[in-house]
Amino acid sequence: MLTVENLIAQSQPYWDNYIHHSFVQQLSQGTLAKKCFQHYLQQDYLYLFQYSRALSLGIFKAENFAEILIAHQANEVLLKETQLHVAFCKAWGISEETLHQVQESTACVAYTRYVLDCGMKGGLAELYTALAPCMLGYAEIGKILSQQTPVANNPYQQWIDTYGAEDFQQAAQQFMTMLNGLFIDLSHKQQQSLQHIFTTATRMEIDFWQMGLDLS
């Protein structure tokens, strides 16, 4: 049976390139240029908007109330996180007005529309598999960085703490359990399709980090 662990293993070397990207390494060391982090924060705000749309699509694609509840609760959490994101951006000199006016990068457009396309054409398995690299990757990054000795006066420590926190780690674990439940009794062709989706979304996560470094 297909599992999330299988998806990650078969997405190499992209998965490791995503988790250990130079953006992440510089962030963990506190050496990431402020303008790169600010650019990333603005694009991440736009990404969260499209992520919310994708979760809303999960309600439309649901086949029972239990699946509706999963998507609804996930979207509620995301909407609350969006407000925290706005406050976080403000602390970095980015106003909410600026967030509303910023132009969406090509990396953000490509990634988010790909996720929505997977959800529109497929079912919940396709939709959540496309979303999985974001949730699971950030959880792994947060866990790894949180276990390292903190760099003194790292301006990005709050970001690290957010994704290394127990509540986010638990949410990622719950997401993984839910996704594995959707993989039961899939045909070989469906499994191959989901692997392609997961690997593609992982590659787009790499591009998102690179977008931050390149200010593109």
Side-chain angles (χ1 to χ4, degrees):
M1 184 183 80
L2 182 67
T3 65
V4 171
E5 291 81 2
N6 295 151
L7 290 176
I8 292 174
Q10 294 302 315
S11 68
Q12 297 293 7
Y14 300 111
W15 184 261
D16 279 349
N17 291 341
Y18 161 38
I19 299 301
H20 303 291
H21 193 276
S22 180
F23 185 97
V24 176
Q25 298 306 310
Q26 291 180 41
L27 186 148
S28 71
Q29 296 159 11
T31 59
L32 181 68
K34 179 180 178 181
K35 60 183 179 181
C36 292
F37 190 65
Q38 289 174 317
H39 182 57
Y40 158 77
L41 285 178
Q42 293 177 75
Q43 292 301 316
D44 197 41
Y45 177 80
L46 299 177
Y47 174 87
L48 289 175
F49 174 74
Q50 302 298 341
Y51 198 109
S52 182
R53 292 182 65 209
L55 289 174
S56 300
L57 182 59
I59 294 177
F60 177 75
K61 293 283 184 173
E63 297 182 356
N64 52 60
F65 280 113
E67 292 177 345
I68 287 178
L69 184 61
I70 288 172
H72 175 69
Q73 290 178 333
N75 215 356
E76 277 195 324
V77 171
L78 184 142
L79 291 173
K80 291 178 181 177
E81 287 182 358
T82 300
Q83 293 308 307
L84 293 175
H85 191 87
V86 170
F88 192 45
C89 286
K90 187 175 181 180
W92 280 87
I94 306 168
S95 68
E96 188 168 1
E97 291 73 20
T98 298
L99 289 174
H100 292 162
Q101 296 171 6
V102 67
Q103 183 175 352
E104 196 171 7
S105 70
T106 53
C108 188
V109 172
Y111 188 7
T112 57
R113 300 328 186 267
Y114 176 73
V115 170
L116 286 166
D117 186 56
C118 288
M120 288 293 293
K121 293 192 299 184
L124 290 181
E126 286 75 17
L127 172 63
Y128 290 133
T129 296
L131 290 171
C134 178
M135 166 70 84
L136 302 180
Y138 273 54
E140 184 169 341
I141 290 169
K143 183 176 181 179
I144 292 172
L145 299 189
S146 294
Q147 292 174 343
Q148 296 176 357
T149 302
V151 173
N153 302 315
N154 187 346
Y156 309 115
Q157 190 60 47
Q158 184 180 352
W159 189 96
I160 294 171
D161 293 341
T162 296
Y163 296 108
E166 186 62 29
D167 58 347
F168 191 84
Q169 294 296 317
Q170 288 181 354
Q173 188 59 50
Q174 291 169 357
F175 181 89
M176 185 183 299
T177 300
M178 178 273 294
L179 192 54
N180 280 333
L182 294 175
F183 292 161
I184 297 173
D185 297 329
L186 295 180
S187 68
H188 180 65
K189 183 176 181 180
Q190 287 175 302
Q191 292 181 39
Q192 287 183 313
S193 176
L194 292 175
Q195 181 64 65
H196 176 74
I197 289 172
F198 187 87
T199 301
T200 301
T202 299
R203 290 167 52 205
M204 290 185 170
E205 283 285 357
I206 296 172
D207 290 344
F208 205 87
W209 289 143
Q210 196 61 46
M211 170 270 300
L213 285 183
D214 297 340
L215 299 174
S216 56

